[in-house]
């Protein structure tokens, strides 16, 4: 999915062509994860605050790059994500939504 970012990669002339993002792999994995969990989220306007419980390794995927995942969840559900809690009992690729 791309090169591992390094300070030398940011120097002028190091990238000759093509798309580049410092967290491209994370962006891709977050998008795939969002598609998996989207059906578990409520429709817009049903609730105003939620707490999400996910597998500990998937907390960064749910939050997304610079919290873009949380903003996307808010846009989809209309609810503020108060917290993303790591929970070992939640299987990979799933989440639990707690209405607050």
């Amino acid at each position: 999915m791309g090169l591992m970012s390094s300070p030398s990669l940011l120097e002028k002339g190091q990238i000759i062509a093509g798309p580049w993002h410092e967290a491209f792999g994370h962006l891709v994995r977050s998008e795939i994860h969002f598609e998996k969990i989207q059906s578990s989220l409520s429709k817009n306007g049903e609730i105003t605050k939620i707490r999400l419980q996910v597998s500990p390794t998937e907390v960064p995927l749910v939050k997304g790059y610079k919290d873009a995942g949380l903003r996307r969840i808010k846009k989809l559900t209309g609810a503020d994500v108060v917290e993303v809690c790591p929970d070992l009992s939640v299987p990979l690729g799933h989440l639990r939504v707690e209405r607050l």
Side-chain angles (χ1 to χ4, degrees):
M1 285 191 281
L3 299 172
M4 183 160 175
S5 186
S6 68
S8 64
L9 191 59
L10 299 176
E11 294 172 9
K12 188 175 180 170
Q14 292 299 312
I15 298 174
I16 297 171
W20 181 84
H21 189 280
E22 61 188 349
F24 185 73
H26 183 70
L27 293 174
V28 171
R29 288 188 298 277
S30 292
E31 178 64 27
I32 291 168
H33 192 267
F34 183 80
E35 288 178 13
K36 287 181 189 176
I37 65 172
Q38 189 172 0
S39 64
S40 300
L41 298 167
S42 59
K43 304 258 188 280
N44 196 335
E46 290 182 7
I47 50 180
T48 58
K49 291 184 182 181
I50 56 176
R51 177 179 293 123
L52 303 177
Q53 297 164 344
V54 299
S55 174
T57 60
E58 294 182 335
V59 169
L61 296 178
V62 171
K63 287 184 174 183
Y65 180 73
K66 296 187 177 182
D67 289 338
L70 299 180
R71 289 189 299 277
R72 192 169 177 189
I73 290 170
K74 177 164 176 76
K75 185 176 179 181
L76 178 71
T77 65
D80 289 319
V81 180
V82 174
E83 187 176 13
V84 180
C85 303
D87 187 331
L88 290 169
S89 69
V90 178
L92 292 173
H94 293 83
L95 81 157
R96 267 190 226 118
V97 179
E98 181 182 347
R99 297 170 184 233
L100 303 174

